[in-house]
Amino acid sequence: CEKYEPIETSVSLEVDSVQVHALTNLTVSWGEGCRDGAGSFELHDADVGFTVTGTTLRGTSSMDITIDPLDVSSFALSALTLSYENVTDIRCNVNKEPVKECLDALSIVKTEEYKLLLQDLISSLLSRLNRPISKFFRRGLLSHASGSVGAALL
């Protein structure tokens, strides 16, 4: 058998928790041509972080595979969902002092409304993801491995 069409795939990745931490130092300068003239702004020791618990990423796709020569075509990502239980340990500090506006903004990700909006965004991006992923399969992944992968699949 040298051709499989279509192959239906379903992948689920579940992670107990994901920790995000960013420490930033920033200097922004602007010239005389700006509205209030030249100036600058500095931000030191900006510490932002949070933990996402109960994270699940699920995807469903289909593709056609030819073994010899190895080729993947007709790739289509038909579903992609991202879900999480909670966001905890939210930090947003500058010079070790909490910044209320930043903490408020980060706390939005804990709401059900945000989770629904995020899923709507992911769903709307599906059609845009299929084209570059398909190109990746055709150009990058398979161009270097056709002999060994094809032999392994036979």
Side-chain angles (χ1 to χ4, degrees), residues 92-112:
C92 194
N93 304 318
V94 175
N95 295 321
K96 299 184 181 170
E97 294 294 322
V99 178
K100 182 185 179 324
E101 295 81 5
C102 180
L103 290 168
D104 290 346
L106 283 175
S107 67
I108 290 172
V109 301
K110 296 168 70 169
T111 66
E112 288 303 314

Side-chain angles (χ1 to χ4, degrees), residues 1 5 7 16 19 23 48 56 82 85 104 113 133 142:
C1 191
E5 54 181 48
I7 290 181
D16 288 334
Q19 294 180 333
L23 183 61
V48 177
T56 302
L82 172 67
E85 292 173 7
D104 290 346
E113 292 83 3
I133 292 172
L142 297 175

Side-chain angles (χ1 to χ4, degrees), residues 61-65 70-78 125-143:
S61 66
S62 66
M63 67 187 89
D64 297 341
I65 296 179
L70 186 58
D71 185 38
V72 174
S73 61
S74 304
F75 178 85
L77 188 59
S78 55
L125 292 175
L126 276 180
S127 62
R128 292 183 179 162
L129 286 173
N130 284 327
R131 191 174 199 184
I133 292 172
S134 189
K135 282 183 182 179
F136 168 76
F137 275 120
R138 301 201 93 202
R139 290 186 190 162
L141 177 67
L142 297 175
S143 64

